[in-house]
Amino acid sequence: MFDYAVKNNFFDENDHLKLKQQLLNIEYDPPNSYKREVYKGSYWHQRDVQTDSEIGNLIKDKINQHFNFKINRFDAIHFTMVGAKDALRPHTDLTENVTHQCLIYIAGDNSIYSGTGFFVEKELLDAAIGFRENKAIFFNSRTKHSPLHALQQSGEWRYSIATFFN
């Protein structure tokens, strides 16, 4: 069982363009060796963002505005570069400190294959949200999800902001 909400035009145009410029021009770090082993590869790269920052406050305000959810505490904010085409990796991010998350698409290929899939029952794809710049997906962290790049062997990297909070 899962629930999610989608908001196009999550950021104001100027904020989106500034973030896009930033995400496209920074260096990303691969996941640590433990996570590469658990996920059987490195399908994402990330850059950590301070949770108590201008971008953190902007995201907090936009989540409250668009999804009527008041964030008590951020656990993490990551700028991400995702694009593995070898396999789907359905997973959840539920922890003691993370009950909800918001994935904000910033730059990439406008395609269902650059988007996110939601899964039920033993990794059965139940819904797919296609990539569109400045789209946000808000969901419960017990929801099984995965990037969809592996469903098509072509495509580009997806640049997003992944936020984890309660």
mmCIF file with all atom_site columns, all heavy atoms in Angstrom, residues 71-91:
data_model
loop_
_atom_site.group_PDB
_atom_site.id
_atom_site.type_symbol
_atom_site.label_atom_id
_atom_site.label_alt_id
_atom_site.label_comp_id
_atom_site.label_asym_id
_atom_site.label_entity_id
_atom_site.label_seq_id
_atom_site.pdbx_PDB_ins_code
_atom_site.Cartn_x
_atom_site.Cartn_y
_atom_site.Cartn_z
_atom_site.occupancy
_atom_site.B_iso_or_equiv
_atom_site.pdbx_formal_charge
_atom_site.auth_seq_id
_atom_site.auth_comp_id
_atom_site.auth_asym_id
_atom_site.auth_atom_id
_atom_site.pdbx_PDB_model_num
ATOM 1   N N   . ILE A 1 71 ? 7.103  19.969 7.948   1.00 0.00 ? 71 ILE A N   1
ATOM 2   C CA  . ILE A 1 71 ? 8.291  19.171 8.269   1.00 0.00 ? 71 ILE A CA  1
ATOM 3   C C   . ILE A 1 71 ? 8.741  19.496 9.683   1.00 0.00 ? 71 ILE A C   1
ATOM 4   O O   . ILE A 1 71 ? 8.973  20.660 10.022  1.00 0.00 ? 71 ILE A O   1
ATOM 5   C CB  . ILE A 1 71 ? 9.425  19.446 7.260   1.00 0.00 ? 71 ILE A CB  1
ATOM 6   C CG1 . ILE A 1 71 ? 9.011  18.976 5.871   1.00 0.00 ? 71 ILE A CG1 1
ATOM 7   C CG2 . ILE A 1 71 ? 10.733 18.789 7.706   1.00 0.00 ? 71 ILE A CG2 1
ATOM 8   C CD1 . ILE A 1 71 ? 9.989  19.333 4.771   1.00 0.00 ? 71 ILE A CD1 1
ATOM 9   N N   . ASN A 1 72 ? 8.856  18.472 10.509  1.00 0.00 ? 72 ASN A N   1
ATOM 10  C CA  . ASN A 1 72 ? 9.386  18.657 11.861  1.00 0.00 ? 72 ASN A CA  1
ATOM 11  C C   . ASN A 1 72 ? 10.904 18.737 11.838  1.00 0.00 ? 72 ASN A C   1
ATOM 12  O O   . ASN A 1 72 ? 11.503 19.580 12.485  1.00 0.00 ? 72 ASN A O   1
ATOM 13  C CB  . ASN A 1 72 ? 8.964  17.496 12.772  1.00 0.00 ? 72 ASN A CB  1
ATOM 14  C CG  . ASN A 1 72 ? 7.480  17.481 13.004  1.00 0.00 ? 72 ASN A CG  1
ATOM 15  O OD1 . ASN A 1 72 ? 6.876  18.516 13.243  1.00 0.00 ? 72 ASN A OD1 1
ATOM 16  N ND2 . ASN A 1 72 ? 6.886  16.310 12.921  1.00 0.00 ? 72 ASN A ND2 1
ATOM 17  N N   . ARG A 1 73 ? 11.522 17.828 11.078  1.00 0.00 ? 73 ARG A N   1
ATOM 18  C CA  . ARG A 1 73 ? 12.976 17.759 11.042  1.00 0.00 ? 73 ARG A CA  1
ATOM 19  C C   . ARG A 1 73 ? 13.431 17.075 9.760   1.00 0.00 ? 73 ARG A C   1
ATOM 20  O O   . ARG A 1 73 ? 12.964 16.003 9.426   1.00 0.00 ? 73 ARG A O   1
ATOM 21  C CB  . ARG A 1 73 ? 13.469 16.949 12.236  1.00 0.00 ? 73 ARG A CB  1
ATOM 22  C CG  . ARG A 1 73 ? 14.958 16.822 12.348  1.00 0.00 ? 73 ARG A CG  1
ATOM 23  C CD  . ARG A 1 73 ? 15.328 15.907 13.528  1.00 0.00 ? 73 ARG A CD  1
ATOM 24  N NE  . ARG A 1 73 ? 16.699 15.517 13.485  1.00 0.00 ? 73 ARG A NE  1
ATOM 25  C CZ  . ARG A 1 73 ? 17.191 14.555 12.710  1.00 0.00 ? 73 ARG A CZ  1
ATOM 26  N NH1 . ARG A 1 73 ? 16.419 13.881 11.918  1.00 0.00 ? 73 ARG A NH1 1
ATOM 27  N NH2 . ARG A 1 73 ? 18.464 14.268 12.745  1.00 0.00 ? 73 ARG A NH2 1
ATOM 28  N N   . PHE A 1 74 ? 14.360 17.725 9.045   1.00 0.00 ? 74 PHE A N   1
ATOM 29  C CA  . PHE A 1 74 ? 15.011 17.086 7.905   1.00 0.00 ? 74 PHE A CA  1
ATOM 30  C C   . PHE A 1 74 ? 16.022 16.074 8.430   1.00 0.00 ? 74 PHE A C   1
ATOM 31  O O   . PHE A 1 74 ? 16.757 16.349 9.376   1.00 0.00 ? 74 PHE A O   1
ATOM 32  C CB  . PHE A 1 74 ? 15.786 18.101 7.054   1.00 0.00 ? 74 PHE A CB  1
ATOM 33  C CG  . PHE A 1 74 ? 14.992 18.778 5.998   1.00 0.00 ? 74 PHE A CG  1
ATOM 34  C CD1 . PHE A 1 74 ? 14.784 20.151 6.042   1.00 0.00 ? 74 PHE A CD1 1
ATOM 35  C CD2 . PHE A 1 74 ? 14.468 18.070 4.935   1.00 0.00 ? 74 PHE A CD2 1
ATOM 36  C CE1 . PHE A 1 74 ? 14.076 20.786 5.056   1.00 0.00 ? 74 PHE A CE1 1
ATOM 37  C CE2 . PHE A 1 74 ? 13.751 18.698 3.932   1.00 0.00 ? 74 PHE A CE2 1
ATOM 38  C CZ  . PHE A 1 74 ? 13.552 20.065 4.008   1.00 0.00 ? 74 PHE A CZ  1
ATOM 39  N N   . ASP A 1 75 ? 16.083 14.912 7.800   1.00 0.00 ? 75 ASP A N   1
ATOM 40  C CA  . ASP A 1 75 ? 17.151 13.960 8.074   1.00 0.00 ? 75 ASP A CA  1
ATOM 41  C C   . ASP A 1 75 ? 18.280 14.181 7.079   1.00 0.00 ? 75 ASP A C   1
ATOM 42  O O   . ASP A 1 75 ? 19.442 14.121 7.440   1.00 0.00 ? 75 ASP A O   1
ATOM 43  C CB  . ASP A 1 75 ? 16.624 12.524 7.970   1.00 0.00 ? 75 ASP A CB  1
ATOM 44  C CG  . ASP A 1 75 ? 17.677 11.511 8.354   1.00 0.00 ? 75 ASP A CG  1
ATOM 45  O OD1 . ASP A 1 75 ? 18.060 11.495 9.543   1.00 0.00 ? 75 ASP A OD1 1
ATOM 46  O OD2 . ASP A 1 75 ? 18.136 10.761 7.472   1.00 0.00 ? 75 ASP A OD2 1
ATOM 47  N N   . ALA A 1 76 ? 17.924 14.439 5.822   1.00 0.00 ? 76 ALA A N   1
ATOM 48  C CA  . ALA A 1 76 ? 18.948 14.652 4.792   1.00 0.00 ? 76 ALA A CA  1
ATOM 49  C C   . ALA A 1 76 ? 18.329 15.346 3.579   1.00 0.00 ? 76 ALA A C   1
ATOM 50  O O   . ALA A 1 76 ? 17.149 15.193 3.291   1.00 0.00 ? 76 ALA A O   1
ATOM 51  C CB  . ALA A 1 76 ? 19.556 13.326 4.363   1.00 0.00 ? 76 ALA A CB  1
ATOM 52  N N   . ILE A 1 77 ? 19.185 16.069 2.886   1.00 0.00 ? 77 ILE A N   1
ATOM 53  C CA  . ILE A 1 77 ? 18.872 16.636 1.571   1.00 0.00 ? 77 ILE A CA  1
ATOM 54  C C   . ILE A 1 77 ? 20.071 16.310 0.687   1.00 0.00 ? 77 ILE A C   1
ATOM 55  O O   . ILE A 1 77 ? 21.218 16.563 1.071   1.00 0.00 ? 77 ILE A O   1
ATOM 56  C CB  . ILE A 1 77 ? 18.659 18.162 1.615   1.00 0.00 ? 77 ILE A CB  1
ATOM 57  C CG1 . ILE A 1 77 ? 17.518 18.542 2.552   1.00 0.00 ? 77 ILE A CG1 1
ATOM 58  C CG2 . ILE A 1 77 ? 18.414 18.706 0.210   1.00 0.00 ? 77 ILE A CG2 1
ATOM 59  C CD1 . ILE A 1 77 ? 17.374 20.046 2.776   1.00 0.00 ? 77 ILE A CD1 1
ATOM 60  N N   . HIS A 1 78 ? 19.817 15.733 -0.478  1.00 0.00 ? 78 HIS A N   1
ATOM 61  C CA  . HIS A 1 78 ? 20.891 15.393 -1.411  1.00 0.00 ? 78 HIS A CA  1
ATOM 62  C C   . HIS A 1 78 ? 20.560 15.934 -2.796  1.00 0.00 ? 78 HIS A C   1
ATOM 63  O O   . HIS A 1 78 ? 19.433 15.771 -3.271  1.00 0.00 ? 78 HIS A O   1
ATOM 64  C CB  . HIS A 1 78 ? 21.055 13.873 -1.557  1.00 0.00 ? 78 HIS A CB  1
ATOM 65  C CG  . HIS A 1 78 ? 21.237 13.139 -0.285  1.00 0.00 ? 78 HIS A CG  1
ATOM 66  N ND1 . HIS A 1 78 ? 22.319 13.329 0.553   1.00 0.00 ? 78 HIS A ND1 1
ATOM 67  C CD2 . HIS A 1 78 ? 20.483 12.189 0.301   1.00 0.00 ? 78 HIS A CD2 1
ATOM 68  C CE1 . HIS A 1 78 ? 22.210 12.523 1.589   1.00 0.00 ? 78 HIS A CE1 1
ATOM 69  N NE2 . HIS A 1 78 ? 21.100 11.818 1.465   1.00 0.00 ? 78 HIS A NE2 1
ATOM 70  N N   . PHE A 1 79 ? 21.560 16.549 -3.436  1.00 0.00 ? 79 PHE A N   1
ATOM 71  C CA  . PHE A 1 79 ? 21.497 16.764 -4.867  1.00 0.00 ? 79 PHE A CA  1
ATOM 72  C C   . PHE A 1 79 ? 21.910 15.419 -5.460  1.00 0.00 ? 79 PHE A C   1
ATOM 73  O O   . PHE A 1 79 ? 22.924 14.844 -5.038  1.00 0.00 ? 79 PHE A O   1
ATOM 74  C CB  . PHE A 1 79 ? 22.459 17.846 -5.319  1.00 0.00 ? 79 PHE A CB  1
ATOM 75  C CG  . PHE A 1 79 ? 22.085 19.247 -4.900  1.00 0.00 ? 79 PHE A CG  1
ATOM 76  C CD1 . PHE A 1 79 ? 23.018 20.266 -5.002  1.00 0.00 ? 79 PHE A CD1 1
ATOM 77  C CD2 . PHE A 1 79 ? 20.822 19.567 -4.425  1.00 0.00 ? 79 PHE A CD2 1
ATOM 78  C CE1 . PHE A 1 79 ? 22.699 21.572 -4.648  1.00 0.00 ? 79 PHE A CE1 1
ATOM 79  C CE2 . PHE A 1 79 ? 20.486 20.865 -4.060  1.00 0.00 ? 79 PHE A CE2 1
ATOM 80  C CZ  . PHE A 1 79 ? 21.439 21.870 -4.179  1.00 0.00 ? 79 PHE A CZ  1
ATOM 81  N N   . THR A 1 80 ? 21.154 14.896 -6.412  1.00 0.00 ? 80 THR A N   1
ATOM 82  C CA  . THR A 1 80 ? 21.451 13.571 -6.940  1.00 0.00 ? 80 THR A CA  1
ATOM 83  C C   . THR A 1 80 ? 21.577 13.567 -8.454  1.00 0.00 ? 80 THR A C   1
ATOM 84  O O   . THR A 1 80 ? 20.937 14.351 -9.153  1.00 0.00 ? 80 THR A O   1
ATOM 85  C CB  . THR A 1 80 ? 20.375 12.542 -6.545  1.00 0.00 ? 80 THR A CB  1
ATOM 86  O OG1 . THR A 1 80 ? 19.124 12.913 -7.129  1.00 0.00 ? 80 THR A OG1 1
ATOM 87  C CG2 . THR A 1 80 ? 20.231 12.447 -5.035  1.00 0.00 ? 80 THR A CG2 1
ATOM 88  N N   . MET A 1 81 ? 22.398 12.658 -8.935  1.00 0.00 ? 81 MET A N   1
ATOM 89  C CA  . MET A 1 81 ? 22.570 12.390 -10.355 1.00 0.00 ? 81 MET A CA  1
ATOM 90  C C   . MET A 1 81 ? 22.330 10.889 -10.502 1.00 0.00 ? 81 MET A C   1
ATOM 91  O O   . MET A 1 81 ? 23.090 10.082 -9.970  1.00 0.00 ? 81 MET A O   1
ATOM 92  C CB  . MET A 1 81 ? 23.984 12.773 -10.783 1.00 0.00 ? 81 MET A CB  1
ATOM 93  C CG  . MET A 1 81 ? 24.252 12.616 -12.257 1.00 0.00 ? 81 MET A CG  1
ATOM 94  S SD  . MET A 1 81 ? 25.925 13.172 -12.714 1.00 0.00 ? 81 MET A SD  1
ATOM 95  C CE  . MET A 1 81 ? 26.904 11.781 -12.169 1.00 0.00 ? 81 MET A CE  1
ATOM 96  N N   . VAL A 1 82 ? 21.254 10.501 -11.172 1.00 0.00 ? 82 VAL A N   1
ATOM 97  C CA  . VAL A 1 82 ? 20.822 9.107  -11.236 1.00 0.00 ? 82 VAL A CA  1
ATOM 98  C C   . VAL A 1 82 ? 20.710 8.683  -12.697 1.00 0.00 ? 82 VAL A C   1
ATOM 99  O O   . VAL A 1 82 ? 20.257 9.466  -13.530 1.00 0.00 ? 82 VAL A O   1
ATOM 100 C CB  . VAL A 1 82 ? 19.448 8.950  -10.533 1.00 0.00 ? 82 VAL A CB  1
ATOM 101 C CG1 . VAL A 1 82 ? 18.926 7.531  -10.656 1.00 0.00 ? 82 VAL A CG1 1
ATOM 102 C CG2 . VAL A 1 82 ? 19.541 9.371  -9.082  1.00 0.00 ? 82 VAL A CG2 1
ATOM 103 N N   . GLY A 1 83 ? 21.068 7.414  -12.986 1.00 0.00 ? 83 GLY A N   1
ATOM 104 C CA  . GLY A 1 83 ? 20.925 6.982  -14.364 1.00 0.00 ? 83 GLY A CA  1
ATOM 105 C C   . GLY A 1 83 ? 21.285 5.547  -14.667 1.00 0.00 ? 83 GLY A C   1
ATOM 106 O O   . GLY A 1 83 ? 21.538 5.216  -15.809 1.00 0.00 ? 83 GLY A O   1
ATOM 107 N N   . ALA A 1 84 ? 21.332 4.664  -13.684 1.00 0.00 ? 84 ALA A N   1
ATOM 108 C CA  . ALA A 1 84 ? 21.704 3.274  -13.967 1.00 0.00 ? 84 ALA A CA  1
ATOM 109 C C   . ALA A 1 84 ? 20.686 2.601  -14.860 1.00 0.00 ? 84 ALA A C   1
ATOM 110 O O   . ALA A 1 84 ? 19.485 2.706  -14.650 1.00 0.00 ? 84 ALA A O   1
ATOM 111 C CB  . ALA A 1 84 ? 21.846 2.489  -12.670 1.00 0.00 ? 84 ALA A CB  1
ATOM 112 N N   . LYS A 1 85 ? 21.190 1.888  -15.837 1.00 0.00 ? 85 LYS A N   1
ATOM 113 C CA  . LYS A 1 85 ? 20.319 1.217  -16.800 1.00 0.00 ? 85 LYS A CA  1
ATOM 114 C C   . LYS A 1 85 ? 20.374 -0.294 -16.677 1.00 0.00 ? 85 LYS A C   1
ATOM 115 O O   . LYS A 1 85 ? 19.789 -1.015 -17.466 1.00 0.00 ? 85 LYS A O   1
ATOM 116 C CB  . LYS A 1 85 ? 20.711 1.657  -18.204 1.00 0.00 ? 85 LYS A CB  1
ATOM 117 C CG  . LYS A 1 85 ? 20.568 3.147  -18.399 1.00 0.00 ? 85 LYS A CG  1
ATOM 118 C CD  . LYS A 1 85 ? 21.102 3.561  -19.750 1.00 0.00 ? 85 LYS A CD  1
ATOM 119 C CE  . LYS A 1 85 ? 20.966 5.030  -19.937 1.00 0.00 ? 85 LYS A CE  1
ATOM 120 N NZ  . LYS A 1 85 ? 22.117 5.793  -19.636 1.00 0.00 ? 85 LYS A NZ  1
ATOM 121 N N   . ASP A 1 86 ? 21.099 -0.807 -15.660 1.00 0.00 ? 86 ASP A N   1
ATOM 122 C CA  . ASP A 1 86 ? 21.294 -2.257 -15.572 1.00 0.00 ? 86 ASP A CA  1
ATOM 123 C C   . ASP A 1 86 ? 20.125 -2.986 -14.924 1.00 0.00 ? 86 ASP A C   1
ATOM 124 O O   . ASP A 1 86 ? 19.825 -4.114 -15.285 1.00 0.00 ? 86 ASP A O   1
ATOM 125 C CB  . ASP A 1 86 ? 22.597 -2.585 -14.849 1.00 0.00 ? 86 ASP A CB  1
ATOM 126 C CG  . ASP A 1 86 ? 22.627 -2.071 -13.418 1.00 0.00 ? 86 ASP A CG  1
ATOM 127 O OD1 . ASP A 1 86 ? 22.002 -1.028 -13.142 1.00 0.00 ? 86 ASP A OD1 1
ATOM 128 O OD2 . ASP A 1 86 ? 23.285 -2.706 -12.578 1.00 0.00 ? 86 ASP A OD2 1
ATOM 129 N N   . ALA A 1 87 ? 19.464 -2.382 -13.935 1.00 0.00 ? 87 ALA A N   1
ATOM 130 C CA  . ALA A 1 87 ? 18.379 -3.074 -13.232 1.00 0.00 ? 87 ALA A CA  1
ATOM 131 C C   . ALA A 1 87 ? 17.553 -2.081 -12.430 1.00 0.00 ? 87 ALA A C   1
ATOM 132 O O   . ALA A 1 87 ? 18.068 -1.061 -11.983 1.00 0.00 ? 87 ALA A O   1
ATOM 133 C CB  . ALA A 1 87 ? 18.960 -4.131 -12.290 1.00 0.00 ? 87 ALA A CB  1
ATOM 134 N N   . LEU A 1 88 ? 16.281 -2.402 -12.266 1.00 0.00 ? 88 LEU A N   1
ATOM 135 C CA  . LEU A 1 88 ? 15.451 -1.641 -11.332 1.00 0.00 ? 88 LEU A CA  1
ATOM 136 C C   . LEU A 1 88 ? 15.901 -1.993 -9.925  1.00 0.00 ? 88 LEU A C   1
ATOM 137 O O   . LEU A 1 88 ? 16.326 -3.126 -9.663  1.00 0.00 ? 88 LEU A O   1
ATOM 138 C CB  . LEU A 1 88 ? 13.977 -2.005 -11.503 1.00 0.00 ? 88 LEU A CB  1
ATOM 139 C CG  . LEU A 1 88 ? 13.331 -1.609 -12.828 1.00 0.00 ? 88 LEU A CG  1
ATOM 140 C CD1 . LEU A 1 88 ? 11.905 -2.156 -12.896 1.00 0.00 ? 88 LEU A CD1 1
ATOM 141 C CD2 . LEU A 1 88 ? 13.317 -0.096 -12.985 1.00 0.00 ? 88 LEU A CD2 1
ATOM 142 N N   . ARG A 1 89 ? 15.808 -1.068 -9.014  1.00 0.00 ? 89 ARG A N   1
ATOM 143 C CA  . ARG A 1 89 ? 16.212 -1.305 -7.632  1.00 0.00 ? 89 ARG A CA  1
ATOM 144 C C   . ARG A 1 89 ? 15.131 -0.809 -6.675  1.00 0.00 ? 89 ARG A C   1
ATOM 145 O O   . ARG A 1 89 ? 15.323 0.182  -5.975  1.00 0.00 ? 89 ARG A O   1
ATOM 146 C CB  . ARG A 1 89 ? 17.531 -0.620 -7.355  1.00 0.00 ? 89 ARG A CB  1
ATOM 147 C CG  . ARG A 1 89 ? 18.693 -1.255 -8.095  1.00 0.00 ? 89 ARG A CG  1
ATOM 148 C CD  . ARG A 1 89 ? 19.977 -0.523 -7.804  1.00 0.00 ? 89 ARG A CD  1
ATOM 149 N NE  . ARG A 1 89 ? 21.117 -1.219 -8.350  1.00 0.00 ? 89 ARG A NE  1
ATOM 150 C CZ  . ARG A 1 89 ? 21.536 -1.104 -9.603  1.00 0.00 ? 89 ARG A CZ  1
ATOM 151 N NH1 . ARG A 1 89 ? 20.897 -0.345 -10.448 1.00 0.00 ? 89 ARG A NH1 1
ATOM 152 N NH2 . ARG A 1 89 ? 22.598 -1.766 -10.010 1.00 0.00 ? 89 ARG A NH2 1
ATOM 153 N N   . PRO A 1 90 ? 13.985 -1.490 -6.629  1.00 0.00 ? 90 PRO A N   1
ATOM 154 C CA  . PRO A 1 90 ? 12.927 -1.067 -5.704  1.00 0.00 ? 90 PRO A CA  1
ATOM 155 C C   . PRO A 1 90 ? 13.417 -1.121 -4.259  1.00 0.00 ? 90 PRO A C   1
ATOM 156 O O   . PRO A 1 90 ? 14.056 -2.088 -3.849  1.00 0.00 ? 90 PRO A O   1
ATOM 157 C CB  . PRO A 1 90 ? 11.808 -2.077 -5.942  1.00 0.00 ? 90 PRO A CB  1
ATOM 158 C CG  . PRO A 1 90 ? 12.089 -2.667 -7.283  1.00 0.00 ? 90 PRO A CG  1
ATOM 159 C CD  . PRO A 1 90 ? 13.568 -2.651 -7.422  1.00 0.00 ? 90 PRO A CD  1
ATOM 160 N N   . HIS A 1 91 ? 13.140 -0.058 -3.518  1.00 0.00 ? 91 HIS A N   1
ATOM 161 C CA  . HIS A 1 91 ? 13.585 0.032  -2.135  1.00 0.00 ? 91 HIS A CA  1
ATOM 162 C C   . HIS A 1 91 ? 12.683 0.997  -1.367  1.00 0.00 ? 91 HIS A C   1
ATOM 163 O O   . HIS A 1 91 ? 11.889 1.720  -1.968  1.00 0.00 ? 91 HIS A O   1
ATOM 164 C CB  . HIS A 1 91 ? 15.038 0.522  -2.073  1.00 0.00 ? 91 HIS A CB  1
ATOM 165 C CG  . HIS A 1 91 ? 15.202 1.926  -2.585  1.00 0.00 ? 91 HIS A CG  1
ATOM 166 N ND1 . HIS A 1 91 ? 15.248 2.219  -3.935  1.00 0.00 ? 91 HIS A ND1 1
ATOM 167 C CD2 . HIS A 1 91 ? 15.309 3.104  -1.940  1.00 0.00 ? 91 HIS A CD2 1
ATOM 168 C CE1 . HIS A 1 91 ? 15.383 3.523  -4.087  1.00 0.00 ? 91 HIS A CE1 1
ATOM 169 N NE2 . HIS A 1 91 ? 15.428 4.087  -2.886  1.00 0.00 ? 91 HIS A NE2 1
#
